[in-house]
């Protein structure tokens, strides 16, 4: 039996001493005030044992990690039809780059770059009766926790400064790959990114990706082939132009967000979430990457 509690305690202690903690995202002004010294980690394993260390119970903005959940909701509704409108290849570009989108005629490279997630948001706006309420209800079902909600201040802050996302949505619209109006889709997208969870809640939300599409109470949200696709995309595209580095160092499918969270899974074994708001130059959590590298190296566990 691996002593996860002991291992994550020692990771948390060793990371407390690290000086280079990265830089907190400031392009969404409301995120800039988060304390760079925060660090939390939570693991939930297949038998529902839980292990927590550091600031694992503090809420943070999940940002791009929400793209995995919106993708899941989307393919649970339209399944493989999604791939007519979004690709499945890594972009090798930062999350908000637009040049490839024009080059590839309005079909985003994958659902985890912003343009791809905006197409997914468009599909959810088309299919959900009350998109924001229904998406939140989906997350409540996944986590069995109805306290999870949007942070309106963060959504507004991003709306006020989201010029590149506004540009991406307009470019998609010009190629006919956005069916609803730009403002409605972006309002949904900015809200999904503004959802706040702590490490424990996010571990619960990601439980389906390590458990063949079934959540903790046994309810099925995705079939096995859909989970394969989501996990493959996390592995190849979950960290933008650092996806190779994450696979190389950590060896798990995962997804980062500019709020400093990282959620990752080892299928059949565990779900792990780290949160440390300082980002590296590629927009991924500096200490989160380090913590997960230490976790998989010290336990000799990875998908490989
Ligand atoms: N809401 C952010 C954006 O669209 C999400 C980016 C991220 O977390 N990488 O810019």
């Amino acid at each position: 039996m691996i002593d996860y509690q002991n291992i994550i305690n020692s990771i948390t202690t060793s990371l407390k001493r690290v000086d280079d903690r990265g830089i907190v995202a400031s392009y969404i002004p409301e995120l800039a005030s988060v304390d760079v010294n925060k660090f939390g980690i939570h693991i939930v394993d297949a038998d529902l044992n839980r292990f927590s260390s550091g600031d694992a119970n503090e809420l943070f903005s999940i940002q791009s990690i929400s793209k995995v959940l919106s993708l899941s909701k989307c393919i649970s509704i339209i399944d493989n039809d999604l791939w007519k409108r979004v690709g499945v290849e890594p972009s090798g570009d930062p999350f908000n780059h637009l040049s490839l989108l024009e080059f590839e005629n309005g079909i985003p490279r994958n659902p985890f770059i912003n343009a791809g997630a905006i197409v997914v948001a468009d599909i959810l706006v088309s299919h959900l009766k009350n998109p924001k309420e229904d998406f939140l209800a989906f997350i409540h079902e996944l986590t069995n926790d109805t306290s999870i909600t949007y942070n309106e201040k963060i959504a507004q802050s991003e709306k006020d400064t989201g010029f590149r996302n506004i540009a991406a949505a307009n470019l998609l619209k010009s190629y006919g790959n956005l069916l609803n109006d730009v403002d409605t889709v972006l309002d949904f997208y900015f809200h999904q990114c503004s959802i706040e969870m702590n490490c424990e809640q996010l571990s619960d939300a990601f439980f389906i990706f390590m458990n063949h599409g079934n959540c903790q109470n046994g309810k099925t949200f995705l079939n096995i082939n859909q989970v394969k696709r989501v996990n493959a995309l996390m592995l190849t595209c979950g960290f933008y132009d650092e996806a190779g580095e994450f696979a190389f160092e950590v060896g798990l499918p995962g997804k980062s967000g500019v709020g400093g969270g990282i959620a990752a899974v080892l299928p059949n074994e565990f779900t792990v979430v780290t949160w440390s708001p300082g980002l590296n130059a590629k927009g991924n959590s500096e200490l989160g990457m380090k913590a997960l590298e230490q976790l998989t190296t010290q336990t000799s566990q990875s998908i490989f």
Side-chain angles (χ1 to χ4, degrees), residues 97-118:
H97 264 213
L98 297 174
S99 46
L100 262 181
L101 185 58
E102 177 135 59
F103 192 67
E104 293 178 340
N105 298 321
I107 304 293
R109 266 285 164 111
N110 67 65
F112 296 154
I113 55 169
N114 287 6
I118 290 169

Side-chain angles (χ1 to χ4, degrees), residues 27-28 62-65 67 95-96 114 158 165 189-190 193 240 255-259 283:
Y27 77 101
I28 302 172
I62 68 167
Q63 291 296 319
S64 279
I65 301 172
K67 294 170 181 170
F95 58 85
N96 55 6
N114 287 6
E158 190 168 1
N165 287 323
Y189 174 73
F190 293 143
C193 291
Y240 313 110
K255 184 75 200 80
S256 65
V258 292

Side-chain angles (χ1 to χ4, degrees), residues 60 132 140 159 216 283 297:
F60 62 90
K132 284 190 278 187
H140 292 166
K159 194 177 281 187
Q216 292 173 23
T297 304

Side-chain angles (χ1 to χ4, degrees), residues 17 23 29 31 41 43 45 56 76 80 84 93 109 112 148 151 158 161 165 177-178 193 206 226 238 242 264 292:
R17 293 193 287 267
I23 297 171
L31 291 180
I41 180 166
I43 293 175
D45 74 12
S76 78
N80 288 327
K84 296 174 190 152
D93 271 340
R109 266 285 164 111
F112 296 154
I148 296 167
N151 181 322
E158 190 168 1
T161 55
N165 287 323
N177 200 8
L178 200 88
C193 291
F206 268 60
Q226 291 167 333
E242 211 172 26
L292 292 170

Side-chain angles (χ1 to χ4, degrees), residues 70-232:
S70 58
L71 168 68
S72 300
K73 184 72 192 168
C74 182
I75 60 178
S76 78
I77 302 170
I78 67 163
D79 204 13
N80 288 327
D81 283 349
L82 173 61
W83 314 117
K84 296 174 190 152
R85 294 179 58 185
V86 181
V88 297
E89 294 296 338
S91 69
D93 271 340
F95 58 85
N96 55 6
H97 264 213
L98 297 174
S99 46
L100 262 181
L101 185 58
E102 177 135 59
F103 192 67
E104 293 178 340
N105 298 321
I107 304 293
R109 266 285 164 111
N110 67 65
F112 296 154
I113 55 169
N114 287 6
I118 290 169
V119 172
V120 170
D122 183 51
I123 293 166
L124 291 180
V125 166
S126 293
H127 283 84
L128 300 178
K129 202 157 168 242
N130 301 300
K132 284 190 278 187
E133 290 83 344
D134 296 356
F135 185 62
L136 210 47
F138 167 63
I139 289 174
H140 292 166
E141 269 199 290
L142 285 180
T143 55
N144 198 21
D145 186 338
T146 53
S147 72
I148 296 167
T149 191
Y150 301 113
N151 181 322
E152 291 295 339
K153 267 192 176 161
I154 289 180
Q156 187 60 45
S157 182
E158 190 168 1
K159 194 177 281 187
D160 294 341
T161 55
F163 305 112
R164 295 193 76 89
N165 287 323
I166 295 165
N170 279 290
L171 206 48
L172 289 165
K173 187 92 184 158
S174 78
Y175 283 108
N177 200 8
L178 200 88
L179 307 185
N180 298 282
D181 71 64
V182 165
D183 288 347
T184 309
V185 176
L186 286 178
D187 180 63
F188 181 86
Y189 174 73
F190 293 143
H191 274 84
Q192 71 167 75
C193 291
S194 82
I195 290 173
E196 291 185 321
M197 293 194 213
N198 60 34
C199 294
E200 181 167 359
Q201 291 166 326
L202 196 49
S203 306
D204 290 339
F206 268 60
F207 195 85
I208 58 169
F209 307 118
M210 75 106 180
N211 194 37
H212 313 289
N214 307 315
C215 79
Q216 292 173 23
N217 66 19
K219 186 168 175 197
T220 302
F221 287 88
L222 295 177
N223 67 40
I224 287 179
N225 293 327
Q226 291 167 333
V227 171
K228 172 185 76 179
R229 299 208 142 114
V230 176
N231 284 349

Side-chain angles (χ1 to χ4, degrees), residues 245-260:
E245 178 79 6
F246 191 82
F248 182 78
E249 296 288 352
V250 179
L252 300 177
K255 184 75 200 80
S256 65
V258 292

